[in-house]
Amino acid sequence: MEYKPISKAVIARLPRYYRHLGELMEEGVERISSNDLSQRMHVTASQIRQDLNNFGGFGQQGYGYNVKYLYTEIAKIMGVDRQHNLIIIGAGNLGQAIANYANFERRGFIIKGMFDINPRLIGRVVRGVEILGVEELEKFIVDNEVQIAALTIPKTKAPEIADRLVAAGIKAIWNFAHTDLVVPDDVVVENVHLSESLMRLSYRVCSMQDQKAQKEKIEEEKALKKEKPERNAQT
Ligand code: NAI
């Protein structure tokens, strides 16, 4: 397959295609047209065709997409057809919640280790993974060919740990700490901020309510204007 630069927007949509295609496979669907996929995903068929054309199409005119083939190809593009070794730094509430979510493994993300500075946590085991002291970080990364580090520590501690991770050879940081990390160009950071997502939701619900209130006000004013001439006529 020929690779050309793919926009971030398309990449951001791929996991959703992957999920829907996985569900279609579970339902036993072998082929799907871009129209049917568009109805299912609530995006336009032309958007789907455009997105998938970035990777050479995968579809045949009038014949639809082969679901399993498309699923497999998208997995390859996203790199979830291979194993990624992952560690979690910060074994508190969030770190343990991530470690307890078994589904990441189904996608090839294997949690190899967890690290913390709290002596009460060190030595505990979460779903088969032992929490180690953070001083063991660098050696562990090399010995276990770790590629991805999840940062679930306070934001004040995140930059220092990120520097250590980069120096130890980590190329991908899944950052949950509420801070913007500064890393070299060959290191990728994916920020996951639930509160930012909640704020976007808040904006959407508030703007919907504002629009509704504005509409009601306009309707009220219209009704008042209609009423007024009638009253004037009576007097
Ligand atoms: P927590 O206090 O339960 O866990 C933090 C853990 O990090 C503690 O066990 C602590 O001992 C450990 N830690 C502190 N400094 C460390 C270091 N230098 N090296 C290794 N471990 C260290 O906190 P929680 O609720 O798990 O949150 C963790 C972080 O994630 C916080 O920064 C919080 O703001 C953030 N967070 C982010 C969310 C998001 O959507 N991005 C959602 C929830 C929390």
PDB file of all heavy atoms in Angstrom, residues 100-114:
ATOM      1  N   ASN A 100      -7.044  -1.948  35.282  1.00  0.00           N
ATOM      2  CA  ASN A 100      -8.136  -2.895  35.473  1.00  0.00           C
ATOM      3  C   ASN A 100      -9.013  -3.074  34.239  1.00  0.00           C
ATOM      4  O   ASN A 100      -9.893  -3.929  34.221  1.00  0.00           O
ATOM      5  CB  ASN A 100      -9.022  -2.451  36.646  1.00  0.00           C
ATOM      6  CG  ASN A 100      -8.459  -2.966  37.955  1.00  0.00           C
ATOM      7  OD1 ASN A 100      -8.087  -4.138  38.056  1.00  0.00           O
ATOM      8  ND2 ASN A 100      -8.346  -2.096  38.946  1.00  0.00           N
ATOM      9  N   TYR A 101      -8.782  -2.253  33.222  1.00  0.00           N
ATOM     10  CA  TYR A 101      -9.615  -2.349  32.013  1.00  0.00           C
ATOM     11  C   TYR A 101      -8.999  -3.380  31.064  1.00  0.00           C
ATOM     12  O   TYR A 101      -8.013  -3.103  30.368  1.00  0.00           O
ATOM     13  CB  TYR A 101      -9.724  -0.978  31.349  1.00  0.00           C
ATOM     14  CG  TYR A 101     -10.680  -0.947  30.181  1.00  0.00           C
ATOM     15  CD1 TYR A 101     -12.023  -1.260  30.348  1.00  0.00           C
ATOM     16  CD2 TYR A 101     -10.250  -0.613  28.905  1.00  0.00           C
ATOM     17  CE1 TYR A 101     -12.896  -1.255  29.276  1.00  0.00           C
ATOM     18  CE2 TYR A 101     -11.123  -0.587  27.824  1.00  0.00           C
ATOM     19  CZ  TYR A 101     -12.442  -0.914  28.019  1.00  0.00           C
ATOM     20  OH  TYR A 101     -13.308  -0.903  26.957  1.00  0.00           O
ATOM     21  N   ALA A 102      -9.577  -4.548  31.038  1.00  0.00           N
ATOM     22  CA  ALA A 102      -8.976  -5.671  30.308  1.00  0.00           C
ATOM     23  C   ALA A 102      -9.003  -5.494  28.795  1.00  0.00           C
ATOM     24  O   ALA A 102      -8.198  -6.087  28.078  1.00  0.00           O
ATOM     25  CB  ALA A 102      -9.698  -6.948  30.696  1.00  0.00           C
ATOM     26  N   ASN A 103      -9.918  -4.649  28.312  1.00  0.00           N
ATOM     27  CA  ASN A 103     -10.108  -4.554  26.864  1.00  0.00           C
ATOM     28  C   ASN A 103      -8.911  -3.988  26.102  1.00  0.00           C
ATOM     29  O   ASN A 103      -8.785  -4.226  24.905  1.00  0.00           O
ATOM     30  CB  ASN A 103     -11.343  -3.704  26.554  1.00  0.00           C
ATOM     31  CG  ASN A 103     -12.505  -4.584  26.186  1.00  0.00           C
ATOM     32  OD1 ASN A 103     -12.343  -5.799  26.032  1.00  0.00           O
ATOM     33  ND2 ASN A 103     -13.675  -3.990  26.048  1.00  0.00           N
ATOM     34  N   PHE A 104      -8.052  -3.219  26.790  1.00  0.00           N
ATOM     35  CA  PHE A 104      -6.886  -2.675  26.075  1.00  0.00           C
ATOM     36  C   PHE A 104      -6.041  -3.813  25.489  1.00  0.00           C
ATOM     37  O   PHE A 104      -5.451  -3.677  24.422  1.00  0.00           O
ATOM     38  CB  PHE A 104      -6.022  -1.810  27.004  1.00  0.00           C
ATOM     39  CG  PHE A 104      -6.697  -0.531  27.426  1.00  0.00           C
ATOM     40  CD1 PHE A 104      -6.680  -0.115  28.744  1.00  0.00           C
ATOM     41  CD2 PHE A 104      -7.345   0.272  26.491  1.00  0.00           C
ATOM     42  CE1 PHE A 104      -7.300   1.068  29.136  1.00  0.00           C
ATOM     43  CE2 PHE A 104      -7.971   1.447  26.876  1.00  0.00           C
ATOM     44  CZ  PHE A 104      -7.951   1.848  28.195  1.00  0.00           C
ATOM     45  N   GLU A 105      -5.996  -4.916  26.217  1.00  0.00           N
ATOM     46  CA  GLU A 105      -5.196  -6.053  25.751  1.00  0.00           C
ATOM     47  C   GLU A 105      -5.733  -6.615  24.447  1.00  0.00           C
ATOM     48  O   GLU A 105      -4.973  -7.048  23.593  1.00  0.00           O
ATOM     49  CB  GLU A 105      -5.177  -7.153  26.818  1.00  0.00           C
ATOM     50  CG  GLU A 105      -3.970  -6.995  27.720  1.00  0.00           C
ATOM     51  CD  GLU A 105      -4.267  -7.342  29.150  1.00  0.00           C
ATOM     52  OE1 GLU A 105      -5.013  -8.331  29.370  1.00  0.00           O
ATOM     53  OE2 GLU A 105      -3.784  -6.621  30.024  1.00  0.00           O
ATOM     54  N   ARG A 106      -7.061  -6.598  24.307  1.00  0.00           N
ATOM     55  CA  ARG A 106      -7.671  -7.094  23.063  1.00  0.00           C
ATOM     56  C   ARG A 106      -7.209  -6.290  21.863  1.00  0.00           C
ATOM     57  O   ARG A 106      -7.214  -6.758  20.738  1.00  0.00           O
ATOM     58  CB  ARG A 106      -9.202  -7.015  23.164  1.00  0.00           C
ATOM     59  CG  ARG A 106      -9.802  -8.185  23.895  1.00  0.00           C
ATOM     60  CD  ARG A 106     -11.313  -8.134  23.858  1.00  0.00           C
ATOM     61  NE  ARG A 106     -11.844  -7.904  22.534  1.00  0.00           N
ATOM     62  CZ  ARG A 106     -12.921  -7.161  22.266  1.00  0.00           C
ATOM     63  NH1 ARG A 106     -13.582  -6.591  23.250  1.00  0.00           N
ATOM     64  NH2 ARG A 106     -13.344  -7.001  21.033  1.00  0.00           N
ATOM     65  N   ARG A 107      -6.830  -5.041  22.105  1.00  0.00           N
ATOM     66  CA  ARG A 107      -6.340  -4.169  21.030  1.00  0.00           C
ATOM     67  C   ARG A 107      -4.822  -4.234  20.892  1.00  0.00           C
ATOM     68  O   ARG A 107      -4.230  -3.462  20.147  1.00  0.00           O
ATOM     69  CB  ARG A 107      -6.734  -2.710  21.318  1.00  0.00           C
ATOM     70  CG  ARG A 107      -8.212  -2.487  21.418  1.00  0.00           C
ATOM     71  CD  ARG A 107      -8.770  -2.102  20.057  1.00  0.00           C
ATOM     72  NE  ARG A 107     -10.205  -1.893  20.117  1.00  0.00           N
ATOM     73  CZ  ARG A 107     -11.094  -2.792  19.748  1.00  0.00           C
ATOM     74  NH1 ARG A 107     -10.711  -3.967  19.309  1.00  0.00           N
ATOM     75  NH2 ARG A 107     -12.388  -2.531  19.808  1.00  0.00           N
ATOM     76  N   GLY A 108      -4.202  -5.096  21.694  1.00  0.00           N
ATOM     77  CA  GLY A 108      -2.747  -5.274  21.572  1.00  0.00           C
ATOM     78  C   GLY A 108      -1.917  -4.425  22.513  1.00  0.00           C
ATOM     79  O   GLY A 108      -0.694  -4.384  22.404  1.00  0.00           O
ATOM     80  N   PHE A 109      -2.582  -3.724  23.448  1.00  0.00           N
ATOM     81  CA  PHE A 109      -1.834  -2.905  24.407  1.00  0.00           C
ATOM     82  C   PHE A 109      -1.635  -3.722  25.693  1.00  0.00           C
ATOM     83  O   PHE A 109      -2.586  -3.937  26.448  1.00  0.00           O
ATOM     84  CB  PHE A 109      -2.584  -1.599  24.714  1.00  0.00           C
ATOM     85  CG  PHE A 109      -2.806  -0.763  23.485  1.00  0.00           C
ATOM     86  CD1 PHE A 109      -4.043  -0.757  22.840  1.00  0.00           C
ATOM     87  CD2 PHE A 109      -1.780  -0.004  22.945  1.00  0.00           C
ATOM     88  CE1 PHE A 109      -4.247  -0.003  21.697  1.00  0.00           C
ATOM     89  CE2 PHE A 109      -1.972   0.753  21.795  1.00  0.00           C
ATOM     90  CZ  PHE A 109      -3.209   0.745  21.173  1.00  0.00           C
ATOM     91  N   ILE A 110      -0.418  -4.167  25.897  1.00  0.00           N
ATOM     92  CA  ILE A 110      -0.140  -5.056  27.025  1.00  0.00           C
ATOM     93  C   ILE A 110       0.489  -4.249  28.165  1.00  0.00           C
ATOM     94  O   ILE A 110       1.561  -3.650  27.993  1.00  0.00           O
ATOM     95  CB  ILE A 110       0.837  -6.195  26.613  1.00  0.00           C
ATOM     96  CG1 ILE A 110       0.381  -6.848  25.303  1.00  0.00           C
ATOM     97  CG2 ILE A 110       0.992  -7.214  27.739  1.00  0.00           C
ATOM     98  CD1 ILE A 110      -0.958  -7.534  25.314  1.00  0.00           C
ATOM     99  N   ILE A 111      -0.192  -4.220  29.295  1.00  0.00           N
ATOM    100  CA  ILE A 111       0.329  -3.471  30.443  1.00  0.00           C
ATOM    101  C   ILE A 111       1.403  -4.324  31.124  1.00  0.00           C
ATOM    102  O   ILE A 111       1.126  -5.353  31.721  1.00  0.00           O
ATOM    103  CB  ILE A 111      -0.809  -3.075  31.414  1.00  0.00           C
ATOM    104  CG1 ILE A 111      -1.780  -2.150  30.663  1.00  0.00           C
ATOM    105  CG2 ILE A 111      -0.224  -2.367  32.655  1.00  0.00           C
ATOM    106  CD1 ILE A 111      -3.051  -1.857  31.364  1.00  0.00           C
ATOM    107  N   LYS A 112       2.624  -3.859  30.963  1.00  0.00           N
ATOM    108  CA  LYS A 112       3.777  -4.635  31.452  1.00  0.00           C
ATOM    109  C   LYS A 112       4.136  -4.263  32.881  1.00  0.00           C
ATOM    110  O   LYS A 112       4.652  -5.084  33.629  1.00  0.00           O
ATOM    111  CB  LYS A 112       4.987  -4.363  30.548  1.00  0.00           C
ATOM    112  CG  LYS A 112       4.904  -5.016  29.198  1.00  0.00           C
ATOM    113  CD  LYS A 112       5.276  -6.469  29.341  1.00  0.00           C
ATOM    114  CE  LYS A 112       5.249  -7.174  28.009  1.00  0.00           C
ATOM    115  NZ  LYS A 112       5.600  -8.584  28.132  1.00  0.00           N
ATOM    116  N   GLY A 113       3.934  -2.985  33.241  1.00  0.00           N
ATOM    117  CA  GLY A 113       4.349  -2.571  34.577  1.00  0.00           C
ATOM    118  C   GLY A 113       3.639  -1.320  35.039  1.00  0.00           C
ATOM    119  O   GLY A 113       3.095  -0.566  34.226  1.00  0.00           O
ATOM    120  N   MET A 114       3.642  -1.147  36.376  1.00  0.00           N
ATOM    121  CA  MET A 114       3.075   0.075  36.962  1.00  0.00           C
ATOM    122  C   MET A 114       4.098   0.622  37.947  1.00  0.00           C
ATOM    123  O   MET A 114       4.803  -0.151  38.611  1.00  0.00           O
ATOM    124  CB  MET A 114       1.786  -0.244  37.715  1.00  0.00           C
ATOM    125  CG  MET A 114       0.688  -0.739  36.815  1.00  0.00           C
ATOM    126  SD  MET A 114      -0.795  -1.121  37.757  1.00  0.00           S
ATOM    127  CE  MET A 114      -1.426   0.504  38.106  1.00  0.00           C
TER     128      MET A 114
END
